[in-house]
Amino acid sequence: MVSTPLNRISIFVDGNNMFYAQQKNGWFFDPKRVLEHFVSETDGLSLVNAFWYTGLKDPQDQRGFRDALISLGYTVRTKVLKEYYDDTSGRYSQKANLDIEIVVDMFNTVEQYDRVVLLSGDGDFERAIELLRSKNTHITVVSTEGMIARELRNVTDRYIDLNKIRQAIEKSE
């Protein structure tokens, strides 16, 4: 049996999760540099898909940012934020959970790629990652310490802390 190189890559960015990870780290990454970093990391890698998922306050929210992502080649998936009441804190919070959309896109495009880069620390992806790995997909998870779920880190082929690749992906002002 001849092994084929794992050269087709898809990138999935959990935008809300990454926003909080970047805020925690005190610096922000450039979406274009993220693509360049992961596609040029290994010779012969070709980008098949790049998806960016984000919650919106209203349909016009982040319009310029979303347009910029699209021009860079990302497929942008959005959902309007929903308001939730937290019994513990007694406060309302907003959330747009796009985990299902990410997993659906991962499995809907699974025949197109050999490698996945998931920028998220959300442990809800544990089972999806296990299933993708059973299909011989190489999984890299990118997050940051204190925000990467142990379950997710445990099932991935490779974990990269955002701070380790900061020089390659940081947004320059």
Side-chain angles (χ1 to χ4, degrees), residues 31-125:
K32 180 180 181 187
R33 294 185 76 196
V34 167
L35 293 179
E36 291 167 350
H37 176 74
F38 286 106
V39 174
S40 68
E41 187 180 42
T42 306
D43 291 338
L45 230 52
S46 65
L47 181 66
V48 178
N49 292 307
F51 294 90
W52 192 289
Y53 305 83
T54 190
L56 305 175
K57 292 176 189 151
D58 61 65
Q60 295 306 312
D61 187 27
Q62 302 177 42
R63 180 56 137 213
F65 180 64
R66 288 184 287 141
D67 288 347
L69 288 171
I70 291 166
S71 72
L72 292 172
Y74 285 93
T75 298
V76 178
R77 304 267 194 244
T78 63
K79 192 184 272 187
V80 174
L81 295 166
K82 292 184 181 173
E83 197 166 85
Y84 296 93
Y85 181 74
D86 181 359
D87 289 331
T88 310
S89 69
R91 286 186 265 178
Y92 285 93
S93 61
Q94 292 183 322
K95 186 171 182 171
N97 194 335
L98 286 133
D99 296 354
I100 294 297
E101 287 78 1
I102 295 171
V103 170
V104 166
D105 284 337
M106 284 178 161
F107 282 92
N108 195 38
T109 60
V110 70
E111 301 299 325
Q112 299 173 16
Y113 58 76
D114 311 298
R115 296 175 169 264
V116 161
V117 175
L118 171 63
L119 284 87
S120 179
D122 194 332
D124 290 342
F125 293 114

